Amino acid sequence: QKEVEQNSGPLSVPEGAIASLNCTYSDRGSQSFFWYRQYSGKSPELIMFIYSNGDKEDGRFTAQLNKASQYVSLLIRDSQPSDSATYLCAVSYTGTASKLTFGTGTRLQVTL
Amino acid sequence: DGGITQSPKYLFRKEGQNVTLSCEQNLNHDAMYWYRQDPGQGLRLIYYSQIVNDFQKGDIAEGYSVSREKKESFPLTVTSAQKNPTAFYLCASSIGTGVLEQFFGPGTRLTVL
């Protein structure tokens, strides 16, 4: 069973701080990694994707991938109340064509 | 405006009834997907289609059926064989094979009365 694990939270950070969200996966053959943001009652929105080891930055968001340790993380700098949402990690596994496996998500709360 | 539409937004069904959820996209994407989301759980793949007239079962296909007669449309039927159909149903699409970024529609919330 290919798994994607996330801490369900809630992760609470003060406004302006860095939020760090983590995700681990079970298959070393995993190739592509995605972060989605989902507001309560809404559908997921793609924030970032990363394919190679290292960091990838996009505005206030940084995705970090470490294939040797089988984890991927999302850093949100200068966290804003509007960042309060559930963040879903998704992984594509080798040999599964275009299928993604999703984690259960981490709920982030940014406090004033 | 390019995007994915799902209808209806809310759907109520009596036990024993089949219902069909609509998903349409005008992004010219080849691949389309159906997921189910339950409270506290991640998205689980029901069916997916990579090209017209072809589709594959996902992880929880039992009690569901799909068709892909047009590139733009991928309707999902929830049959009476699905024992616990109350959930949030999400349709997604991606450009095609090898391009995995999936974009989601707004979802349909199905409640069985």
Side-chain angles (χ1 to χ4, degrees), chain A residues 1 31-32 34 36 38 40-46 49 51 86 88 92 96-105, chain B residues 9 31 33 35 37 40-43 45 48 50 57-59 88 90 96-97 100-107 109:
Chain A
Q1 179 79 8
Q31 296 176 315
S32 306
F34 303 83
Y36 287 84
Q38 186 175 26
S40 181
K42 303 296 185 182
S43 62
E45 172 192 9
L46 181 64
F49 56 88
Y51 300 141
T86 296
L88 302 173
S92 75
T96 60
S98 53
K99 292 168 60 176
L100 296 180
T101 300
F102 284 81
T104 56
Chain B
K9 186 174 181 180
Y33 311 81
Y35 292 91
Q37 188 175 36
Q41 296 196 35
L43 278 65
L45 183 63
Y48 65 105
Q50 294 180 279
K57 292 181 178 180
D59 300 318
F88 188 37
L90 291 156
T97 302
L100 298 174
E101 296 93 278
Q102 294 183 15
F103 301 93
F104 286 84
R109 197 166 296 276

Side-chain angles (χ1 to χ4, degrees), chain B:
Chain B
D1 264 347
I4 304 172
T5 58
Q6 292 186 243
S7 62
K9 186 174 181 180
Y10 298 98
L11 185 57
F12 298 91
R13 186 193 99 172
K14 292 182 180 180
E15 283 193 25
Q17 288 182 333
N18 293 354
V19 290
T20 297
L21 283 57
S22 169
C23 177
E24 304 276 335
Q25 55 97 1
N26 61 4
L27 300 168
N28 200 32
H29 284 177
D30 286 321
M32 298 185 74
Y33 311 81
W34 274 105
Y35 292 91
R36 167 184 174 139
Q37 188 175 36
D38 296 280
Q41 296 196 35
L43 278 65
R44 292 185 289 169
L45 183 63
I46 304 172
Y47 268 98
Y48 65 105
S49 168
Q50 294 180 279
I51 56 171
V52 175
N53 293 322
D54 187 47
F55 50 83
Q56 288 79 38
K57 292 181 178 180
D59 300 318
I60 55 165
E62 185 175 353
Y64 301 98
S65 66
V66 294
S67 63
R68 187 85 188 276
E69 297 176 1
K70 298 187 301 182
K71 186 175 185 177
E72 304 79 21
S73 178
F74 191 40
L76 173 74
T77 297
V78 184
T79 75
S80 57
Q82 170 49 237
K83 297 305 179 188
N84 186 20
T86 295
F88 188 37
Y89 289 87
L90 291 156
C91 178
S93 70
S94 64
I95 291 176
T97 302
V99 181
L100 298 174
E101 296 93 278
Q102 294 183 15
F103 301 93
F104 286 84
T108 293
R109 197 166 296 276
L110 173 64
T111 302
V112 174
L113 304 174

